[in-house]
Amino acid sequence: GQGLLVPRSLTGGELPIGAVESAAWGILPGKEPLIKCTFRPPNFETPVSAFGDVITPNEQFFVRWHLAHIPQMAAETWRLRVGGESVEHPYELTLDQLKQDFEPVELVAVCQCAGNRRGFSEPHVPGVQWGAGAMGNARWKGARLRDVLTRAGLKADALEIVFDGADDGVIDETPDFIKSLPLWKALDENTLIAYEMNGEALPHANGFPVRLVVPGWTGTYWVKQLISISAVPKPEMGFWMSRAYRIPKDKFPGAERFPSQEAETDAPITDILVNSLITNIEDGQRLTAGEPTMVKGIAWDGGHGIRTVDVSVNGGRTWESARLERDYGCFSFRAWHHTFTPRGGGEYRLMARATDRQGRTQPFKLVFNRAGYHNNVVQRIHVEITP
Amino acid sequence: MKMRNALLPAVFVVATASAGEMRIELEKGAGYDIVMENCTLCHSLDYIPMHSGFMKRTDWQATVDKMVNVMGAPIDKDDIPVIVDYLTTHYGVE
């Protein structure tokens, strides 16, 4: 080896042995092979190699469901109910009305599961043992949630907007997957009710015919098979808001606020933390000394945009700026690359570290939390250099 | 951190999700039948082996309690210790 000194804190975790052994390449209808975590409900991960493209193809977009009763939806019979105690005029929309009555908006945004990379948590924690591919970046098209709510007439006491999809538990006793947003985020001009993904209808597995798109916020809010939107004057108290998807406040002090759901010590997870991923080199890969080698990857954050990506080839001793590629907007993956020439044999340790336009950057040590959320620890890849 | 695609073993490829679920086999042992009866109603069995390698007895106990108290799993009280024993023995760490 090169005898490079790497602080222990730079070490990322490894997936539990059970997660590795029970993974399989599996094919869902209309999809290319993805990494199967669980069959029913389907939880399928995108392979890292797919992130070589800044836009994740629909066929490779990750799949995440909590509850196993997932009906097949027909575009003709789908209806969206807009109502709740805090609207003046409840109403219903057909898919054609949603498309025709409201100005269509297009934007590129990352949908990242809150538990992306949970499998690397040290110590390990229960939950779907995701690797690095519980995320994807797509061009979404839809109506503004704000416009749909405005037509219903929001009352002054509206506190949260509550969302329900058509999916259900297998038995009634299982808490239905119901999520809410604070009014300010629901009324953000970028929050969409999306009916197109990369220029096509959404795949069934990604929420056909319509899903919520909440740019900058974790996937848990991106309710699939959306059928009901309610404005309410009180906090939504169901299991998936009050007990799941919560983070310790003291460990993530800069998070965007969701005041009506905050408790003394914990709060709902909100915006995505700045993060990056090397997409073209695998751990253990061999490179040739003297040959220029390009490290490629992506970086993203919760909507401020990426300012810089720094790359180290010596385990964090020295860093150089990567070249950022085309900007698809502040909610999108940002591709980057950096070329270096390995000298001599032995081992190199590649790392990438993104900084967003607020100056926030990735930690070298995991910010551990019991649910395994927000893992944006700097990744490290070992490569062997052949002389 | 190692990325999953570098770690995938030579695994079986499944054509469809439902065909794949049929192929999951849990380890045989005391409590197997009771686990099969109680843990397949709402999700596939791979939720169990996916967690092997780090769950202590208290973690499996907490998980089964969550299934009953939060998810509404209709599990006979007397079966719970048998299920936790089975999970700890086959998919747990001491």
Side-chain angles (χ1 to χ4, degrees):
Chain A
Q2 298 284 294
L4 299 177
L5 263 181
V6 180
R8 285 191 67 81
S9 60
L10 291 185
T11 308
E14 293 200 7
L15 296 173
I17 183 69
V20 175
E21 287 177 352
S22 67
W25 289 102
I27 306 181
L28 293 168
K31 291 276 186 176
E32 284 174 24
L34 298 174
I35 301 162
K36 186 278 308 180
C37 294
T38 66
F39 283 115
R40 174 176 56 97
N43 285 296
F44 284 61
E45 180 175 328
T46 303
V48 168
S49 56
F51 300 121
D53 293 321
V54 134
I55 300 290
T56 317
N58 291 0
E59 296 73 25
Q60 288 181 293
F61 211 92
F62 83 107
V63 173
R64 202 281 180 256
W65 297 83
H66 298 84
L67 306 177
H69 184 255
I70 306 164
Q72 290 288 336
M73 306 291 283
E76 303 73 40
T77 51
W78 174 85
R79 294 289 180 277
L80 180 61
R81 293 193 312 273
V82 185
E85 238 183 275
S86 297
V87 304
E88 302 283 358
H89 331 283
Y91 69 107
E92 271 193 6
L93 282 173
T94 66
L95 192 54
D96 284 341
Q97 287 169 332
L98 181 69
K99 289 178 180 175
Q100 284 157 20
D101 295 3
F102 302 91
E103 182 195 344
V105 178
E106 277 191 59
L107 52 81
V108 179
V110 175
C111 177
Q112 180 184 234
C113 177
N116 191 29
R117 304 187 179 188
R118 174 185 291 120
F120 300 120
S121 177
E122 277 189 338
H124 289 302
V125 293
V128 176
Q129 299 298 307
W130 298 110
M135 61 174 191
N137 189 43
R139 180 178 295 280
W140 309 95
K141 181 177 175 183
R144 286 193 190 92
L145 173 60
R146 181 169 80 181
D147 296 346
V148 169
L149 287 170
T150 301
R151 177 180 293 186
L154 280 180
K155 293 188 189 163
D157 67 356
L159 179 71
E160 293 184 3
I161 309 298
V162 180
F163 307 90
D164 190 10
D167 59 324
D168 263 317
V170 173
I171 57 173
D172 288 347
E173 288 76 6
T174 305
D176 194 7
F177 188 72
I178 291 172
K179 297 295 292 186
S180 67
L181 286 175
L183 199 60
W184 73 266
K185 188 67 178 174
L187 297 181
D188 188 290
E189 60 176 355
N190 298 306
T191 301
L192 306 182
I193 304 171
Y195 42 76
E196 259 183 40
M197 177 176 176
N198 295 328
E200 294 168 9
L202 278 61
H204 169 68
N206 297 107
F208 180 85
V210 156
R211 81 179 299 173
L212 201 64
V213 165
V214 190
W217 281 29
T218 54
T220 183
Y221 297 102
W222 298 45
V223 174
K224 297 180 289 299
Q225 301 192 318
L226 186 65
I227 53 169
S228 145
I229 299 177
S230 326
V232 294
K234 284 197 233 83
E236 158 61 33
M237 290 310 291
F239 170 77
W240 300 101
M241 285 306 299
S242 64
R243 292 175 60 191
Y245 288 108
R246 302 193 63 96
I247 53 172
K249 278 169 145 178
D250 57 335
K251 292 197 174 178
F252 302 100
E256 286 184 355
R257 301 286 307 276
F258 192 161
S260 54
Q261 290 284 344
E262 289 173 16
E264 180 129 344
T265 57
D266 67 1
I269 190 168
T270 54
D271 53 323
I272 298 170
L273 299 188
V274 61
N275 211 342
S276 64
L277 180 69
I278 295 170
T279 55
N280 72 327
I281 298 181
E282 284 184 347
D283 205 71
Q285 194 168 318
R286 291 187 167 274
L287 304 176
T288 310
E291 258 181 32
T293 303
M294 189 183 280
V295 189
K296 294 172 67 154
I298 48 175
W300 65 97
D301 79 324
H304 300 280
I306 297 301
R307 181 191 288 164
T308 50
V309 175
D310 297 308
V311 173
S312 174
V313 299
N314 52 25
R317 215 167 35 135
T318 58
W319 296 84
E320 284 183 66
S321 289
R323 182 177 290 270
L324 299 184
E325 298 177 15
R326 188 175 148 191
D327 188 352
Y328 287 83
C330 59
F331 299 111
S332 169
F333 286 154
R334 187 82 188 261
W336 52 265
H337 65 266
H338 174 71
T339 303
F340 77 105
T341 305
R343 311 198 181 280
E347 194 183 76
Y348 270 49
R349 291 144 206 247
L350 311 183
M351 300 163 80
R353 192 182 197 209
T355 303
D356 71 12
R357 293 195 184 117
Q358 278 192 312
R360 294 230 187 89
T361 187
Q362 299 176 242
F364 288 112
K365 191 178 181 327
L366 178 72
V367 182
F368 177 82
N369 60 102
R370 278 187 307 122
Y373 298 141
H374 274 335
N375 185 341
N376 68 336
V377 68
V378 170
Q379 174 197 5
R380 190 181 62 186
I381 289 181
H382 297 241
V383 288
E384 285 289 326
I385 312 300
T386 316
Chain B
M1 74 181 69
K2 288 194 180 172
M3 291 299 136
R4 190 194 291 266
N5 57 346
L7 271 180
L8 274 180
V11 288
F12 58 94
V13 175
V14 289
T16 65
S18 47
E21 181 178 346
M22 305 304 288
R23 301 181 54 158
I24 305 168
E25 273 187 43
L26 294 190
E27 291 178 16
K28 299 286 181 320
Y32 171 87
D33 291 339
I34 292 180
V35 168
M36 294 299 286
E37 263 166 46
N38 285 288
C39 306
T40 57
L41 176 65
C42 306
H43 51 72
S44 45
L45 282 170
D46 41 8
Y47 274 86
I48 295 173
M50 176 171 69
H51 283 78
S52 76
F54 66 94
M55 299 275 280
K56 298 192 189 75
R57 173 176 293 274
T58 47
D59 297 322
W60 276 122
Q61 179 75 54
T63 296
V64 176
D65 289 345
K66 175 179 166 187
M67 296 307 131
V68 173
N69 299 330
V70 176
M71 301 306 178
I75 300 180
D76 196 303
K77 248 200 167 80
D78 298 337
D79 287 340
I80 293 176
V82 183
I83 293 171
V84 173
D85 276 348
Y86 170 87
L87 294 169
T88 309
T89 304
H90 296 280
Y91 298 99
V93 291
E94 286 305 334

